[in-house]
Amino acid sequence: MTARQARSAVLEDEPGGLTSADAAALLARCGPNELPRPPRRPWWRLLVAQLTHFFAVLLWGAAALALLAGMPALALAIAVIVVLNGLFAYAQEHRADRAAQKLGSLMPASTRVVRDGRTQEVSAAEVVPGDVVLLEAGDRVPADGTLLRSEEVTADESMLTGESVPVHKPVGAVVRAATFLVQGSGRALVTATGARTEVASVAGLISSAHRPPSPLNRELDRLVRIIAAVALTVGVVLGVVSLLLGGTATGALLFAVGVSVALVPEGLLPTVTLSLARGAQRMAESKALVRHLEAVETLGSTTFICTDKTGTLTRNEMTVVEVWTPAGRAVPQGVGYEPTGTVSGSEEAIATAAEAAAAARACVTGRAVLQDGLWHPSGDPMEVALDVLAARLGDGGTDPELRVPFVTERRFSAAVVGEHSYFLGAPERILPACGAPGASATSVLDAYADEGRRVVAVARSRAHRSPTTPDELAGLLDDSLELLALLAIEDPPRDGVREALESCRTAGIRVAMMTGDNARTAAAIATEVGLLRAGGVVIEGDRLPADDTALADLLDDPRGAVVARVTPADKLRIANALRLHGHVVAMTGDGVNDAAALRGADVGVAMGLSGSDVARDAADLVLLDDHFATIVKAIELGRATYANIRRFLTFHLTDNVAELAPFAVWALSGGSVPAALGVLQILALDIGTDMLPALALGAEPPSKRTMDGPRTRERVASGSVLRRAFLVLGPIEATVSMAAFVWVLTSGGWRLGETPGAALLAQASGTAFAAIAVGQVANAFACRSETRAAWRVDPRRNPLVLAAVAVELVLLAGFLGLPWLSDMLGGSWPSGSGWLWAVGAGVALLIGDRLHKARRAARRRSVRLAADAGPDDR
């Protein structure tokens, strides 16, 4: 039997549905009812990717060169660093991925169908075209279908359309997979399953969207290329110098290889990874789950947020916020579904509002229910809001003798309670029957509409007869009605959203609302929360400019922007246009329709509470509380991570200058000055003494000024970082360490061009080693701020730096004081005066750093003064 024949059979004899044999044959032919998931790379490929990115390849090359140079222990140490770093990064992302998968699935696990003439519960994956599925309020629809029966069916299709208002579904209407019923019950004939459903076609947009490389990846690739070029160039130059000074070809080659390996900052890769992991941990503590480590820094670079409205900016809890009655206004206090609270207003207004609320409750079936100690909506959210209002006004709930449900064609519902007949519906349907009071309510209705509130009217029939059938009750609407109230309903803003949006504005981050709702409602909410200011952009998706540049120019408005009736393709196009305009874009989403845009943005942000598994798969960040303020907190932590990377990058590069100096002096002097450090000593500095302070700098908490002003567009390895490391801090460390080395040699009787004794050379080398290590202790404190002197930064804000420095000093003592270790490295314990030189290196670095920061501050002040001065002042 074909699927078409099966559908014909069902239409002829609906209650019987398919037979089990026909269903099995269709399942074999059509395949399981499962959504195609985006192709997931196997675990081993993800692990290999962590071991073969550009930085890792550089270190693998360094390990190979070390092995070639006859230093197998060094080669093994570098290889262990790469492997451990790769395993850690893989484990971090794998753990986040598992956590995201546990948040829920888009499709139901099971559903009820009619087969063999009876109701059966089957796995949703076994549903086939031709099945008749039974649906009730709260059920998620397992496949696309057509309603054969509809008892007040209302479906929430926001997962597909972005429209937050539930849609009434009469007989013959289409229901779609992944949507769910908020009200009513019905039967549907399945017309499409699995990859043939509409939700699958929308999810297919994901394949057309490619995640762009993160700013951090681009920066690290650039930095690694620079480091590799410098290391290889210096190695080749020094190898040639060694040959010119009479060394053997083999010796010159090994010396060049050793120098190249030593100049590669082996500790930088694990420092970056652990810093990102620390940022991800902080974000998780703030309810933001990072699925890709690079997204931590990318969040800090964000300059534009495209956000949903419902559930992100608002509570996703419909609430009656005001009741207008001919006697006055009544204002309920409280939000959410808990049926408690007070109502303010005159006694007459409250009494009329109470009757109107009780009447509205009688006309609907949505209710607030208590589950696990919390109140949850059961049914249409707007109807639940009416139930909560009635409870807050003291109505205990009375079942109507007769009720006419709401349908789209009628645009009202009705109920008989005792001797009265009540009507609830669209104001334009109810007010004309209310005479003069209805006309006077029109201005109130317009004011509510301008505020973006949904409004329903409640009226009472003036007729003195009691209807006994639904048709008689509905017919009373044509008679004269008495207007009881207009109920203004809205989804109230989340607490903290206005402050979060103000923080974005202060930080120079543009924000635009992307919603499936109508423009008027969306603009009202955006204005209420402070996203949209006077003159901001409000536009519907079908009116967006066709040119991407014009589109980006339109939305890049500091007064805010709202895009209503937006489609999945619109969101993806907006993300791409803004990126081409120079923005780093964060895009939020929860539905399947959002997945392509989430993948196409620089940072895709999915909802953890209400989002689909398809959206979470496409996202870089999952909000565990669905709150916009959590995005802003994550951006703040991302900015802190960006600043921390600059801190420890400056720290590492400063050390590299000091490590390069001994070889440069040896080469420039034609070998007259012996090399102050050996290859193993340099590696002891990189992997030993420097590692913990660098990691501690990567854990620096955000400062109070992190969100003050736009984030600098400077690269991580910007000119200011490179100048500070290569022209200020590095030369100070190098100068003092080389001066200490030469002073110890000359104090021992050495003269330029002579070969010093082994003991004297070891002590001088140990002194230079100590000077660099102590200089790095001071550098750890200096790098905590790019603007303030080291002694002006509170050490208690980051106690990890103090602990790391203490461990560094212990390691320094071990490297120089343990005979077997000092003999292996090539340096011995300095004299008392040698230690003074080492301390002097730290003091000199702090003073030089302070002078550099003061000079930069003075330059910035002069630039600001010049910018503020008018033409006459100049």
Side-chain angles (χ1 to χ4, degrees):
M1 178 185 289
T2 66
R4 177 171 294 180
Q5 290 171 334
R7 289 194 292 273
S8 299
V10 172
L11 289 173
E12 292 172 4
D13 186 16
E14 176 214 321
L18 296 173
T19 66
S20 296
D22 290 338
L26 283 167
L27 182 63
R29 179 175 301 174
C30 301
N33 178 37
E34 295 175 344
L35 293 180
R37 299 292 290 268
R40 301 178 71 90
R41 290 192 296 172
W43 68 268
W44 60 269
R45 291 189 65 181
L46 295 174
L47 179 58
V48 168
Q50 296 292 348
L51 299 174
T52 56
H53 55 75
F54 198 64
F55 205 158
V57 168
L58 174 65
L59 293 181
W60 283 122
L65 291 176
L67 194 62
L68 178 64
M71 295 180 283
L74 173 59
L76 178 62
I78 296 174
V80 167
I81 288 174
V82 178
V83 171
L84 289 179
N85 181 82
L87 289 173
F88 179 83
Y90 167 78
Q92 181 78 15
E93 296 194 355
H94 181 67
R95 183 166 60 250
D97 189 53
R98 290 285 298 275
Q101 290 179 27
K102 290 179 181 178
L103 291 175
S105 176
L106 189 66
M107 299 297 282
S110 62
T111 190
R112 293 183 304 147
V113 299
V114 178
R115 287 185 185 170
D116 301 321
R118 58 189 177 87
T119 300
Q120 303 180 30
E121 185 164 331
V122 300
S123 168
E126 297 175 2
V127 172
V128 296
D131 261 326
V132 174
V133 297
L134 280 63
L135 301 170
E136 293 183 351
D139 287 349
R140 193 173 288 275
V141 181
D144 288 358
T146 303
L147 281 174
L148 302 174
R149 299 182 187 177
S150 175
E151 299 291 336
E152 307 175 35
V153 170
T154 304
D156 182 344
E157 298 185 331
S158 59
M159 194 66 66
L160 280 172
T161 65
E163 171 62 65
S164 62
V165 179
V167 181
H168 176 67
K169 296 287 185 178
V171 170
V174 174
V175 289
R176 298 175 175 84
T179 64
F180 69 92
L181 268 64
V182 294
Q183 178 178 288
S185 61
R187 293 189 176 196
L189 173 67
V190 174
T191 56
T193 59
R196 299 172 183 84
T197 59
E198 184 173 338
V199 66
S201 65
V202 174
L205 278 173
I206 300 175
S207 60
S208 66
H210 302 284
R211 179 173 285 114
S214 71
L216 181 61
N217 275 338
R218 294 193 294 267
E219 279 297 288
L220 287 180
D221 284 352
R222 170 177 168 267
L223 179 61
V224 168
R225 286 184 172 88
I226 293 172
I227 291 173
V230 171
L232 291 175
T233 300
V234 171
V236 170
V237 169
L238 295 184
V240 171
V241 171
S242 178
L243 275 176
L244 295 176
L245 293 176
T248 65
T250 302
L253 174 62
L254 294 180
F255 180 66
V257 168
V259 170
S260 297
V261 171
L263 291 179
V264 173
E266 289 82 5
L268 183 57
L269 176 59
T271 305
V272 170
T273 301
L274 291 172
S275 177
L276 294 176
R278 174 60 176 160
Q281 179 186 359
R282 284 175 170 167
M283 290 183 185
E285 292 169 355
S286 298
K287 305 297 185 182
L289 178 67
V290 176
R291 300 189 66 240
H292 305 100
L293 282 181
E294 293 87 352
V296 173
E297 191 276 335
T298 309
L299 271 164
S301 304
T302 299
T303 59
F304 205 110
I305 302 174
C306 298
T307 180
D308 285 341
K309 175 181 71 69
T310 304
T312 306
L313 297 175
T314 65
R315 296 170 61 94
N316 197 20
E317 296 177 349
M318 299 299 289
T319 303
V320 178
V321 293
E322 188 169 279
V323 181
W324 178 89
T325 73
R329 298 175 189 259
V331 181
Q333 307 298 318
V335 295
Y337 295 126
E338 185 172 354
T340 58
T342 60
V343 180
S344 62
S346 68
E347 290 186 7
E348 187 178 0
I350 292 176
T352 307
E355 182 184 4
R361 172 193 263 173
C363 291
V364 300
T365 58
R367 295 292 184 264
V369 296
L370 185 63
Q371 295 177 354
D372 301 325
L374 297 174
W375 290 92
H376 298 276
S378 175
D380 187 305
M382 189 195 75
E383 294 188 1
V384 177
L386 301 178
D387 174 60
V388 172
L389 172 67
R392 287 174 177 165
L393 283 163
D395 178 61
T398 302
D399 292 333
E401 287 86 2
L402 180 65
R403 189 168 65 83
V404 174
F406 178 92
V407 294
T408 305
E409 294 77 14
R410 282 197 298 256
R411 303 187 70 191
F412 72 87
S413 58
V416 176
V417 181
E419 299 179 353
H420 297 289
S421 300
Y422 295 103
F423 292 84
L424 170 75
E428 54 268 32
R429 186 73 175 87
I430 301 294
L431 294 182
C434 296
S440 65
T442 303
S443 60
V444 178
L445 181 65
D446 291 340
Y448 284 151
D450 289 339
E451 294 169 354
R453 294 171 174 173
R454 295 179 64 187
V455 183
V456 293
V458 184
R460 182 174 57 199
S461 173
R462 298 180 188 271
H464 295 291
R465 65 181 187 274
S466 297
T468 58
T469 67
D471 288 341
E472 284 185 28
L473 176 58
L476 291 180
L477 185 63
D478 297 328
D479 297 335
S480 176
L481 300 182
E482 177 186 357
L483 179 64
L484 294 179
L486 296 178
L487 309 181
I489 305 170
E490 73 172 9
D491 181 7
R494 280 181 174 269
D495 296 336
V497 164
R498 175 175 286 275
E499 293 78 8
L501 285 164
E502 189 58 38
S503 179
C504 286
R505 190 166 278 112
T506 301
I509 299 171
R510 302 274 197 267
V511 182
M513 177 191 289
M514 308 282 157
T515 179
D517 285 347
N518 67 75
R520 195 172 189 179
T521 299
I525 293 295
T527 302
E528 182 179 358
V529 299
L531 185 153
L532 188 68
R533 292 186 170 181
V537 176
V538 180
I539 190 171
E540 294 197 346
D542 59 0
R543 296 181 178 276
L544 292 172
D547 179 69
D548 284 351
T549 301
L551 173 61
D553 287 337
L554 174 70
L555 299 182
D556 193 6
D557 193 318
R559 297 166 296 184
V562 172
V563 184
R565 302 297 187 195
V566 72
T567 67
D570 290 336
K571 295 183 77 170
L572 178 59
R573 181 171 163 244
I574 288 169
N576 290 333
L578 290 171
R579 287 181 53 238
L580 292 174
H581 206 246
H583 280 292
V584 176
V585 181
M587 176 76 70
T588 74
D590 54 6
V592 177
N593 59 327
D594 296 321
L598 294 179
R599 186 176 292 273
D602 294 287
V603 182
V605 183
M607 304 298 115
L609 293 178
S610 61
S612 68
D613 46 352
V614 176
R616 290 193 293 268
D617 277 343
D620 303 288
L621 187 76
V622 178
L623 301 184
L624 301 180
D625 59 359
D626 292 8
H627 200 311
F628 179 82
T630 303
I631 304 175
V632 180
K633 181 63 177 177
I635 290 175
E636 180 184 14
L637 292 171
R639 285 192 173 191
T641 300
Y642 163 85
N644 289 345
I645 292 174
R646 288 170 61 93
R647 288 184 177 103
F648 64 67
L649 183 59
T650 304
F651 181 82
H652 275 300
L653 295 180
T654 298
D655 199 25
N656 272 29
V657 175
E659 292 165 352
L660 175 61
F663 299 103
V665 170
W666 171 81
L668 293 174
S669 68
S672 299
V673 178
L677 297 176
V679 171
L680 292 180
Q681 285 174 300
I682 291 177
L683 292 167
L685 288 168
D686 281 345
I687 303 174
T689 59
D690 279 1
M691 181 70 77
L692 289 179
L695 292 175
L697 288 172
E700 193 76 27
S703 73
K704 295 179 181 179
R705 297 185 297 274
T706 300
M707 296 293 283
D708 289 350
R711 205 208 79 171
T712 174
R713 292 297 185 95
E714 286 187 327
R715 296 170 167 174
V716 171
S718 65
S720 62
V721 168
L722 298 180
R723 284 191 298 272
R724 187 180 176 200
F726 291 153
L727 301 180
V728 181
L729 304 181
I732 291 174
E733 246 183 45
T735 300
V736 177
S737 63
M738 287 306 302
F741 175 73
V742 173
W743 185 86
V744 172
L745 288 180
T746 55
S747 297
W750 172 81
R751 296 293 179 268
L752 188 65
E754 297 178 353
T755 301
L760 179 61
L761 181 59
Q763 188 179 57
S765 181
T767 302
F769 184 91
I772 294 176
V774 174
Q776 285 295 89
V777 168
N779 196 22
F781 292 103
C783 289
R784 291 190 63 199
S785 172
E786 292 190 28
T787 58
R788 290 181 293 164
W791 52 85
R792 294 188 179 276
V793 181
D794 188 354
R796 295 170 298 181
R797 276 182 50 80
N798 188 1
L800 291 177
V801 171
L802 296 175
V805 164
V807 173
E808 179 179 6
L809 293 175
V810 171
L811 288 174
L812 173 61
F815 287 152
L816 295 177
L818 295 176
W820 64 272
L821 194 52
S822 63
D823 290 344
M824 181 182 71
L825 295 177
S828 63
W829 191 265
S831 63
S833 56
W835 281 113
L836 288 176
W837 274 101
V839 172
V843 172
L845 187 137
L846 291 176
I847 293 174
D849 178 66
R850 178 67 186 95
L851 294 174
H852 173 67
K853 289 173 179 174
R855 182 169 174 269
R856 287 185 62 198
R859 187 185 304 120
R860 284 195 298 269
R861 282 194 299 270
S862 64
V863 169
R864 282 199 299 267
L865 288 173
D868 293 340
D872 295 339
D873 298 323
R874 299 178 191 174

